[in-house]
Amino acid sequence: RDKSSLDPKILDSLLRSLTVPDLRKERNGSLVGKDSSLAAKLSSQEIRKIKMTNPTLYKKLLGYENPGISTLVKSDNVLYDKIVYEATKMLHRNHTSMQASTTDVASTNVNIPASITNVKEVIVDEFQDISSVLLDFILEISRGRQLTVAGDIDQSLYTFNGATPDENIKAILPIYKQDGYNLKEIILDETFRFSKSIHKLSLNLLGTDYSLIKNTVEEEPINIIREEFFSTADEFEFVYKEINDLIDASKGFLSPKNFAVLSNKNFILDRFKEYSDNKNSNLKVKRIFGSQKWLDTKASSIVSFLQLLDNPHSDPSMLGAISFLDGIGP
């Protein structure tokens, strides 16, 4: 009754005791009652915690077929995972049914599109940000095919969304070693993004001398200053004053358009613009977005569809989605 006292192990055992081959056939039973679905009682925060700490249990929740799944799917990320999870199951069923048919055992073929069955090679970029759910899909779709993964474990940013870089490598290597594949590791030790000065500062911030990077961009040494602030307001004031001082010191050589303020969070930039607007000075800040706001409206979908009619190769994802509609097909 008090789900807050449940740790993952207890929850795992409870789910295991409730699991039946297909809960959709048990709608008249108590397992799928509106108030008794264990999965439905989990909050978004609890689901996120399970996703980060226990990927195996999280995948069990995704496979927990009952009306509670609509409650479980409380965010786009969980819905995305659910879709990937179901797609992986389809691919796995197709693979096992093909194996069964070769041994004259009755099997049910899954209708997998030719665009997937004809894949020759699978290349995965940003591998360090792949979740356990997505890894299962990658391993299923690359079965018997060339698989190339590229990533940097030091750039893993999506652990909050279930990325498991260390576990992913541990999961992949034994499979390919066991099957006798020729594994080749290539270290990318040259960067085209920054100079030696920035590289050195980064290592100082991380408190390490270790780096795979051997070659950086060649340019004049840059005097980099690291500032630390006790509040966001202090940081805004420093940036605002620094820009004004540089403009004044340049005696007309620099103007506001020569400066850009960057942040890893959009809301910080929104707040900085609000801060600068309240100053009522000549320094006007223009907020630049990654994409135009109208791209999030239905008008954007209509434009994309018209572009698709003009050039079918312009939007493969939309083309793939439309091909599944009744009356259209591949």
Side-chain angles (χ1 to χ4, degrees):
R1 293 181 179 179
D2 180 15
K3 68 179 187 301
S4 62
S5 65
L6 290 178
D7 64 26
K9 290 182 180 178
I10 298 175
L11 188 57
D12 190 10
S13 63
L14 281 171
L15 280 174
R16 195 182 300 115
S17 67
L18 292 175
T19 300
V20 295
D22 191 348
L23 285 174
R24 284 171 292 190
K25 298 175 183 176
E26 306 289 331
R27 292 192 183 279
N28 58 344
S30 61
L31 288 180
V32 293
K34 188 174 182 181
D35 296 323
S36 60
S37 168
L38 188 59
K41 294 181 187 298
L42 294 171
S43 68
S44 297
Q45 287 182 329
E46 288 165 333
I47 294 170
R48 192 177 299 114
K49 183 178 179 181
I50 291 171
K51 182 176 182 178
M52 292 173 62
T53 59
N54 194 330
T56 303
L57 176 56
Y58 177 67
K59 283 183 280 192
K60 286 184 180 180
L61 287 173
L62 292 177
Y64 195 58
E65 294 287 356
N66 62 36
I69 196 65
S70 60
T71 313
L72 173 63
V73 180
K74 295 174 181 176
S75 71
D76 289 340
N77 286 335
V78 177
L79 178 59
Y80 173 79
D81 286 341
K82 175 67 175 171
I83 293 170
V84 174
Y85 176 85
E86 294 296 339
T88 305
K89 280 206 306 188
M90 285 180 62
L91 288 172
H92 184 71
R93 283 206 305 269
N94 183 66
H95 178 77
T96 52
S97 65
M98 286 175 62
Q99 280 187 325
S101 61
T102 59
T103 56
D104 297 327
V105 176
S107 61
T108 304
N109 285 322
V110 182
N111 186 21
I112 303 295
S115 58
I116 291 179
T117 56
N118 291 338
V119 167
K120 300 291 190 299
E121 182 169 347
V122 177
I123 302 175
V124 183
D125 195 14
E126 304 292 0
F127 187 73
Q128 74 278 356
D129 292 328
I130 297 297
S131 69
S132 174
V133 176
L134 194 52
L135 177 66
D136 288 347
F137 176 79
I138 291 167
L139 291 175
E140 200 62 53
I141 201 172
S142 60
R143 191 189 290 266
R145 299 180 172 95
Q146 169 74 30
L147 172 63
T148 303
V149 299
D152 181 357
I153 203 164
D154 291 329
Q155 291 190 49
S156 182
L157 305 174
Y158 287 87
T159 51
F160 69 90
N161 195 34
T164 51
D166 290 308
E167 285 74 12
N168 290 351
I169 292 293
K170 291 176 185 174
I172 276 191
L173 290 180
I175 295 173
Y176 284 85
K177 285 179 179 177
Q178 179 180 332
D179 291 347
Y181 281 84
N182 180 24
L183 295 174
K184 186 175 183 181
E185 181 183 42
I186 302 171
I187 295 176
L188 307 177
D189 58 3
E190 184 173 6
T191 182
F192 301 92
R193 289 183 169 182
F194 48 77
S195 65
K196 291 180 180 177
S197 303
I198 294 177
H199 188 211
K200 183 178 179 181
L201 177 72
S202 301
L203 295 177
N204 287 338
L205 288 173
L206 293 171
T208 178
D209 293 328
Y210 172 76
S211 175
L212 290 174
I213 300 298
K214 298 294 186 292
N215 298 312
T216 59
V217 175
E218 290 295 334
E219 62 181 17
E220 292 295 320
I222 303 170
N223 182 27
I224 302 174
I225 301 172
R226 177 174 178 251
E227 296 284 347
E228 209 168 302
F229 305 93
F230 291 103
S231 70
T232 307
D234 291 342
E235 184 178 7
F236 288 170
E237 179 63 28
F238 170 82
V239 173
Y240 190 87
K241 185 175 182 299
E242 187 77 3
I243 292 174
N244 271 306
D245 290 347
L246 288 169
I247 291 173
D248 292 341
S250 72
K251 297 180 180 179
F253 183 75
L254 296 175
S255 67
K257 68 179 182 181
N258 296 118
F259 296 88
V261 179
L262 309 178
S263 173
N264 64 333
K265 294 182 175 65
N266 282 321
F267 79 91
I268 292 290
L269 295 174
D270 293 331
R271 287 173 58 187
F272 179 69
K273 183 180 184 331
E274 183 180 339
Y275 174 89
S276 61
D277 289 345
N278 291 333
K279 286 285 189 179
N280 294 321
S281 70
N282 293 328
L283 181 59
K284 300 299 180 184
V285 174
K286 180 181 179 182
R287 176 75 165 86
I288 298 176
F289 295 89
S291 60
Q292 297 297 321
K293 289 186 176 181
W294 74 274
L295 291 174
D296 293 328
T297 66
K298 291 181 179 179
S300 174
S301 299
I302 294 173
V303 171
S304 297
F305 183 66
L306 293 173
Q307 288 177 326
L308 190 68
L309 293 176
D310 180 58
N311 176 15
H313 299 287
S314 65
D315 194 339
S317 58
M318 178 178 275
L319 189 66
I322 292 174
S323 71
F324 282 101
L325 295 176
D326 290 336
I328 296 181

